Amino acid sequence: MCWLGSIILGGAIGTILHHSAGLALVPSVLIGGFVMGAGGVIGPGILCRARAGAGQGASAVAVPARAAPVSAAPVVTPAEAAPASAPVKEARMAPRVSGPSGPHDAARPVSGLDAALARAQRPQAEPAPEFLSAPRGGRADDLKLIRGIGPKLERLLNEAGVWHFDQISGWRARDIALVDEKMTGFHGRIARDEWVRQARDIVAARKGEG
């Protein structure tokens, strides 16, 4: 059941990243596969630990503890008790480190999956999209070649600093959201008309011709 849920979740995430966020097919498949593998590896471990804990609790309730026989406590002199208490003062608690799957002992080695999840949760600085004050070389691309862009949208893009296809082809989800805010009256057209994919096709075709 854990692997089935992981496969469904990984496929859904990959599909959303590719079709809705405009992410390329290969990165979408890799991210979906990573989520699928992580869920399949982590899920069974969590379920097994939960079942083992429930079984131990049930056995503890079912079998009452036997009372230990009462024996006379030996008399310990202060001189004999002092050496035993010395190591207690020197004992130190092992530090606990919080990881993506919860706190764990620092002495326990971190697995490759834990390290990958930790890297994925780290905030990464993404470069802002390239905005230009004027077209390169004084010649702007005809952005109307992208299906869904008309004269008004082209003018809005130019005012936002977008003049060339290679600018649009490099947009990610955050960049699309940033530019979409400036498309007054045309919100949502970037993703709906797949501007990024069309721009990448045009850039690739021009490189092939060159």
Side-chain angles (χ1 to χ4, degrees):
M1 292 300 293
C2 292
W3 276 108
L4 179 59
S6 301
I7 292 172
I8 295 174
L9 178 61
I13 291 177
T15 303
I16 292 173
L17 291 175
H18 179 59
H19 291 285
S20 298
L23 193 65
L25 178 60
V26 173
S28 300
V29 172
L30 291 177
I31 294 175
F34 175 78
V35 173
M36 184 190 308
V41 172
I42 296 175
I46 295 175
L47 290 177
C48 290
R49 286 197 297 270
R51 290 178 180 175
Q56 292 176 0
S59 62
V61 174
V63 181
R66 295 182 179 179
V70 179
S71 60
V75 179
V76 181
T77 62
E80 295 175 349
S85 61
V88 177
K89 296 180 180 179
E90 297 178 359
R92 296 181 180 178
M93 296 293 293
R96 298 181 67 82
V97 181
S98 297
S101 59
H104 61 273
D105 295 333
R108 180 173 65 85
V110 180
S111 66
L113 180 59
D114 291 336
L117 291 174
R119 286 194 299 270
Q121 291 179 353
R122 275 187 214 147
Q124 298 180 356
E126 296 182 1
E130 181 184 14
F131 295 121
L132 304 174
S133 58
R136 303 188 197 106
R139 296 184 58 184
D141 291 337
D142 185 5
L143 301 181
K144 295 187 295 297
L145 294 177
I146 295 178
R147 178 177 51 82
I149 297 181
K152 185 172 179 58
L153 272 172
E154 184 180 41
R155 185 167 59 254
L156 288 175
L157 287 170
N158 293 160
E159 292 174 356
V162 180
W163 302 86
H164 302 283
F165 295 116
D166 59 355
Q167 291 179 266
I168 301 175
S169 66
W171 287 350
R172 303 299 180 190
R174 190 198 65 162
D175 305 330
I176 292 174
L178 181 63
V179 177
D180 186 71
E181 294 179 357
K182 303 180 181 183
M183 300 293 100
T184 305
F186 298 94
H187 297 301
R189 294 288 296 274
I190 300 176
R192 185 166 62 250
D193 293 336
E194 298 183 327
W195 291 5
V196 176
R197 180 187 61 78
Q198 295 187 66
R200 289 174 182 172
D201 292 343
I202 294 174
V203 171
R206 289 187 172 182
K207 287 181 179 179
E209 293 174 358

